[in-house]
Amino acid sequence: MDLTTITIAEIAAGLRAKKFSSRQVTQAYLDRAAAENPSLNAYLEVFADALAQADAADARLAALGDAAPALCGVPVSIKDNILVADRKVSAASKILEGYRAPYSSTVAEKLLAQGAVLLGRTNMDEFAMGASTETSAYGVTRNPVAPDRVPGGSSGGAAASVAGRLAVAALGSDTGGSIRQPAAMCGAVGFKPTYGAVSRYGLIAMASSFDQIGPIARTVADAKTVFDAIRGKDGRDLTTDAKAEAREVKTVGVPKGWESGVDADVAERFRASLARLEATGVAIREVELPTLASALACYYILVPAEVSSNMARFDGVKFGRRVEGKDLLDTYKKTRGGLLGEEVKRRILIGTYALSKGYADQYYRTALAARRAIAADFARAFETVDAIATPTSPFPAWKLGEKIEDPLAMYAADIFTVAANVIGAPAISVPDGAVARDGVALPTGFHLVSPRWTDDALLSFAEKFESLGR
Amino acid sequence: VITEADIQRLAELSRMEIGADEAARLAKDVEGILGFVGQVKEAAAAAPGGVDYGFAPVDTLRADDGVEPAGQNRDALLAEAPKARDGFVEVQKVLGGRGGEA
């Protein structure tokens, strides 16, 4: 039995039935990582104590049996921007090279409390800024489905760890699609919870009013298991809450004009999936979202503005590395100029511009108004539909290097995913077949957004969608 | 139009040293991006008033308990600073030199 092809649910059942141990499952994943990671570069570090964690989980399973927590003994990966006490964390940046977390994030504490086995920390775009994992200071991650192509991003290592069978599930973070888009491009499930449903305490901040931690997994049920383990109100993140609104998804909206810029075969797959849903009795309705086209522009003002503020803390004084200059100001400039990558600098500059006197009205405050307009548009749409569907990305995974010189082309990969972060809503990408490029079948994703705090309804509907493809 | 001088000014404000080649590339990128994001005006025109986009931040006060005693994590935090001495983060002096510009 290949222990790296089964789901969390199957691992949990097998562990309880004593068909195999957590040590055996963990070893199977470590073997995969040893064989595949040198070429995939999904992990920046595989934790040397993974088997010891597995042994502790096995002891707990032996003592607790069926009462053991759902993730006890289950090997998962964690994105390199989520803190685990005493382990290295770098946000894939040179500026944090060698830095060790002095404390654990709430999500890591919750996983560890369940007895999950942390296999390693996964590669990402530097400080999560990117859509392809190519801005990592530690090399690109390759797409397990097509190694000459990107895995998407920024949680590209997380998605590749799941799709490449180097972990059964992964924790990622999503600021504008960074969980869902790589999940779609690697053929996995990616779920971004409602803003506030999962604590951000101990997540290296990118854009604080957009960031959210969530799971990448093989199935929707597995994503839900991980989400249930990490969700909840946290006194250390005052934006969190434990709300859950009952709502069943019966009517799905499709935004008017969604086809614009979408590859023809991706659009065809999406239409076919809508038809399959309709055949099961789900009502499909076109919705007007006139401001949707501006969501990406709104995002690329507000996010850099928040980035420029959040990144100010990396100055060579308190964390990571320092490049000494002739005086303190010069030290700041040399540290930041020398150790931050170009995409990070680009966003800091744009944010600084958008917030500067004379331009803040034209850019930052206008974008805040647009955010309200987009939220109002979605609220109106959600009066008539329970969820809104689009493809996750307008195109499948592209070739390594193809878009790295063109930031706007890269940003376009997130055209369908950013709106959920703009309005703080839950959203999910579920595998939706494949399209062929150069004779290779590349995964595509079916994307659903639903109103804030309807995460459970969204997940159960996504599970229904997933079952249609089986 | 965004010039290399504009980029250097923004780099100064954001405390980043940027080389001439990099500034030239960034000027082109930033100009393109600012042109693209300018279309946000159209959506903003339809905006309702106020600041509420559904989950706009509100001032929240937590209970004044569970506060860690001062200095409790000092050693762990200092261990991760690039330079530390005698219980403090070490930086270059800013008084008495030209560093006061910061």
Side-chain angles (χ1 to χ4, degrees):
Chain A
M1 176 182 209
D2 188 341
L3 298 175
T4 66
T5 58
I6 59 179
T7 63
I8 291 178
E10 288 162 333
I11 290 175
L15 290 172
R16 281 156 184 75
K18 300 192 171 56
K19 281 190 195 153
F20 43 75
S21 63
S22 174
R23 171 173 269 267
Q24 286 172 305
V25 182
T26 302
Q27 186 63 58
Y29 279 108
L30 291 174
D31 291 346
R32 285 284 305 165
E36 300 298 327
N37 202 55
S39 57
L40 284 181
N41 198 31
Y43 284 114
L44 293 177
E45 179 188 359
V46 175
F47 297 143
D49 64 344
L51 286 175
Q53 296 178 57
D55 289 343
D58 280 328
R60 209 164 147 194
L61 283 156
L64 295 178
D66 287 347
L71 292 176
C72 191
V74 174
V76 300
S77 69
I78 191 157
K79 189 176 177 179
D80 191 33
N81 59 352
I82 299 173
L83 275 59
V84 186
D86 302 321
R87 294 190 191 274
K88 285 184 184 170
V89 62
S90 76
S93 179
K94 289 287 175 199
I95 209 165
L96 282 177
E97 193 169 17
Y99 179 72
R100 276 179 196 276
Y103 63 93
S104 276
S105 55
T106 296
V107 292
E109 275 182 358
K110 287 187 169 190
L111 290 185
L112 292 170
Q114 286 220 356
V117 175
L118 302 184
L119 283 168
R121 58 190 171 97
T122 56
N123 200 12
M124 54 186 278
D125 282 296
E126 185 179 7
F127 284 103
M129 298 179 210
S132 67
T133 314
E134 292 170 295
T135 75
S136 167
Y138 303 99
V140 300
T141 294
R142 292 173 182 276
N143 191 317
V145 180
D148 58 338
R149 289 177 183 267
V150 301
S154 67
S155 311
S161 76
V162 173
R165 297 188 285 118
L166 279 64
V168 64
L171 280 192
S173 68
D174 189 314
T175 304
S178 281
I179 286 173
R180 295 159 283 153
Q181 183 258 38
M185 292 195 175
C186 292
V189 172
F191 175 55
K192 183 203 86 80
T194 295
Y195 180 84
V198 176
S199 171
R200 289 173 294 114
Y201 179 75
L203 170 70
I204 297 176
M206 172 183 166
S208 305
S209 78
F210 293 79
D211 297 341
Q212 191 60 202
I213 295 172
I216 295 176
R218 248 170 231 147
T219 63
V220 176
D222 279 5
K224 173 149 172 63
T225 301
V226 177
F227 172 55
D228 284 341
I230 60 174
R231 71 199 296 185
K233 195 171 172 68
D234 179 13
R236 293 179 295 190
D237 173 357
L238 293 175
T239 63
T240 53
D241 208 331
K243 280 194 260 183
E245 285 179 17
R247 181 161 182 159
E248 193 189 341
V249 179
K250 293 177 184 160
T251 307
V252 170
V254 179
K256 194 176 172 184
W258 65 271
E259 305 92 335
S260 170
V262 178
D263 282 3
D265 48 1
V266 173
E268 207 40 60
R269 278 224 62 82
F270 177 68
R271 281 193 200 92
S273 295
L274 287 176
R276 273 187 300 149
L277 272 178
E278 205 162 20
T280 68
V282 174
I284 308 288
R285 189 176 296 169
E286 186 176 81
V287 289
E288 298 264 358
L289 286 169
T291 59
L292 182 61
S294 303
L296 199 61
C298 173
Y299 179 87
Y300 275 103
I301 294 172
L302 296 180
V303 167
E306 295 187 21
V307 161
S308 71
S309 310
N310 272 325
M311 292 300 295
R313 64 172 64 89
F314 300 103
D315 57 5
V317 173
K318 299 183 290 299
F319 321 98
R321 290 174 62 195
R322 176 189 298 182
V323 180
E324 206 83 38
K326 63 180 177 355
D327 53 31
L328 185 57
L329 179 61
D330 197 43
T331 294
Y332 293 155
K333 289 183 183 171
K334 284 199 160 58
T335 299
R336 290 163 63 77
L339 299 177
L340 294 175
E342 199 152 303
E343 177 63 17
V344 175
K345 288 188 218 172
R346 199 152 40 220
R347 294 200 194 188
I348 291 173
L349 293 173
I350 289 169
T352 303
Y353 184 87
L355 289 171
S356 62
K357 190 162 183 270
Y359 294 101
D361 280 336
Q362 188 184 341
Y363 289 96
Y364 184 67
R365 290 194 188 87
T366 306
L368 283 180
R371 190 176 200 174
R372 293 196 298 277
I374 295 162
D377 251 6
F378 271 86
R380 267 191 299 277
F382 285 138
E383 284 169 12
T384 57
V385 298
D386 304 308
I388 292 169
T390 58
T392 306
S393 164
F395 34 73
W398 56 92
K399 290 235 166 96
L400 290 164
E402 195 180 312
K403 295 185 198 286
I404 197 72
E405 302 294 331
D406 185 351
L408 283 173
M410 189 77 82
Y411 297 172
D414 293 336
I415 184 97
F416 292 127
T417 51
V418 294
N421 304 76
V422 169
I423 66 169
I428 192 164
S429 176
V430 184
D432 189 21
V435 295
R437 295 286 180 281
D438 301 336
V440 181
L442 300 175
T444 60
F446 190 83
H447 187 258
L448 290 158
V449 189
S450 67
R452 282 172 55 70
W453 305 111
T454 62
D455 305 64
D456 294 317
L458 181 65
L459 285 162
S460 47
F461 184 73
E463 211 169 350
K464 175 178 176 176
F465 174 82
E466 181 184 50
S467 71
L468 298 179
R470 287 212 189 110
Chain B
V1 177
I2 300 292
T3 65
E4 289 170 46
D6 293 330
I7 294 296
Q8 291 297 359
R9 174 70 187 137
L10 291 168
E12 178 76 26
L13 288 170
S14 48
R15 305 292 187 248
M16 297 189 292
E17 188 172 89
I18 284 178
D21 284 0
E22 201 176 2
R25 279 199 305 278
L26 286 164
K28 186 172 135 287
D29 292 345
V30 170
E31 182 169 316
I33 293 165
L34 289 174
F36 168 73
V37 299
Q39 62 170 274
V40 79
K41 283 198 298 285
E42 293 151 36
V51 294
D52 187 11
Y53 44 81
F55 63 108
V58 283
D59 288 331
T60 320
L61 295 177
R62 61 162 170 73
D64 197 15
D65 54 23
V67 179
E68 290 163 352
Q72 180 177 280
N73 299 312
R74 190 173 66 179
D75 292 344
L77 295 170
L78 284 176
E80 296 307 324
K83 275 191 177 178
R85 182 159 51 103
D86 303 333
F88 292 94
V89 168
E90 189 178 347
V91 292
Q92 289 145 301
K93 70 173 186 178
V94 289
L95 296 175
R98 276 210 60 248
E101 193 193 338

